[in-house]
Amino acid sequence: METGTVGRSPVRRAARGLVGLLALGLSAAGPLGAQAPRDVILATTTSTQDTGLLDSLVPGFERECGCRVKVVAVGTGQALALGARGEADVVLVHAPELERRYVAQGVFQHRRLVMSNDFVLVGPPEDPVGLRQAASLNDAMRRVAAGRAVFVSRGDSSGTHLLELRLWRMAGLAPAGPWYLQSGQGMGATLRIASEKRGYTLSDRGTFLALRASIRLGILFEGAPELLNLYHVMEVNPSLHPRLNVQGGHAFAEYLVSPAVQQRIATFGVARFGQPLFTPRAGQPEPE
């Protein structure tokens, strides 16, 4: 993990300005001005935890707010459902089409771009179906299906799973049969299963790089525009759930898009993997 000591860094200075907001997020049982700041509940995708990114970012926020961030790392679909039920204060997820539907329904507000990485198709280094020779993303998906090579799907309504299903549809395919396995688990577990079964899967690049040393898989297809992976932070609409920690959730969202934290995201992974695992994007226009 790349937790590091934040010390008197810009991250601390950025977080310090949020403490005033957090001071309002007090225990629901106590009067304003009493009690410690309430915990902030973050529902997020497994990739932010599996890569170690949250281990790097969360402690600085916790030190300054005097609170804890309770992280619930699940598939994006589950994370959004938790927020919709008022069981999280803020969500950090990566399924833009689904996110926009929730925002249009008034469930979430203040949707903001935080960062990106990309998805890659990975599989056994010997690559029996020849993904390295694929002429396009559609060709790559068709090669997997035609070869009946083991493909491990997350099958969990996560952002990764939703994209995978979209890629099959784009290729004119509906995968089924003994070669198509559904793990029902997060990205890290799915990568390990694919490695054990010498199969293929779709992964975000960050999680793959974080686990690369412990699995026998290689990147076999990458770079298609459809594989861009965008992460947004959204706050749960407080009018739907009056017991939310509104100030805490808002402060954490502000923290993620602050310049100092964006800089930390830009360098996360470089020391360990020789390249950053994410690209900061706060304040940038949404890609087409």
Side-chain angles (χ1 to χ4, degrees), residues 28-42:
L32 190 65
Q35 307 297 330
R38 290 170 54 192
D39 294 342
V40 177
I41 302 175
L42 167 67

Side-chain angles (χ1 to χ4, degrees), residues 50-230:
D50 288 345
T51 58
L53 179 67
L54 291 180
D55 294 322
S56 177
L57 300 184
V58 166
F61 180 80
E62 291 181 324
R63 282 193 293 271
E64 294 303 329
C65 75
C67 65
R68 290 185 305 164
V69 176
K70 294 185 175 179
V71 176
V72 184
V74 289
T76 282
Q78 294 171 274
L80 291 169
L82 286 170
R85 295 196 298 268
E87 296 173 19
D89 304 308
V90 61
V91 299
L92 176 61
V93 290
H94 64 142
E97 185 176 341
L98 187 56
E99 295 163 23
R100 286 191 287 266
R101 290 207 297 266
Y102 271 100
V103 171
Q105 294 165 5
V107 176
F108 296 101
Q109 58 186 14
H110 308 312
R111 177 175 177 265
R112 287 181 281 179
L113 186 58
V114 175
M115 60 189 182
S116 68
N117 60 13
D118 65 339
F119 289 101
V120 291
L121 285 168
V122 302
E126 57 270 23
D127 189 18
V129 302
L131 289 198
R132 290 190 183 93
Q133 287 74 52
S136 66
L137 182 55
N138 285 347
D139 182 28
M141 302 304 288
R142 289 168 184 153
R143 284 173 181 253
V144 174
R148 295 295 187 265
V150 170
F151 187 95
V152 185
S153 168
R154 283 185 52 171
D156 63 350
S157 298
S158 62
T160 306
H161 180 218
L162 294 175
L163 175 64
E164 177 225 318
L165 296 178
R166 178 170 170 249
L167 298 184
W168 290 120
R169 290 194 300 271
M170 287 170 52
L173 299 168
W179 61 274
Y180 184 72
L181 309 179
Q182 299 194 57
S183 72
Q185 300 188 60
M187 195 69 257
T190 299
L191 282 165
R192 292 186 182 95
I193 293 169
S195 179
E196 291 167 4
K197 294 187 175 294
R198 299 176 63 189
Y200 295 84
T201 193
L202 178 71
S203 175
D204 68 281
R205 187 184 296 269
T207 305
F208 171 77
L209 290 175
L211 298 179
R212 180 173 54 184
S214 63
I215 54 179
R216 191 174 180 274
L217 297 171
I219 295 176
L220 304 177
F221 188 91
E222 59 185 318
E226 297 88 347
L227 297 178
L228 180 63
N229 185 24
L230 300 172

Side-chain angles (χ1 to χ4, degrees), residues 2 267-276:
E2 295 198 8
T267 59
F268 176 76
V270 173
R272 182 176 174 188
F273 305 108
Q275 61 182 290

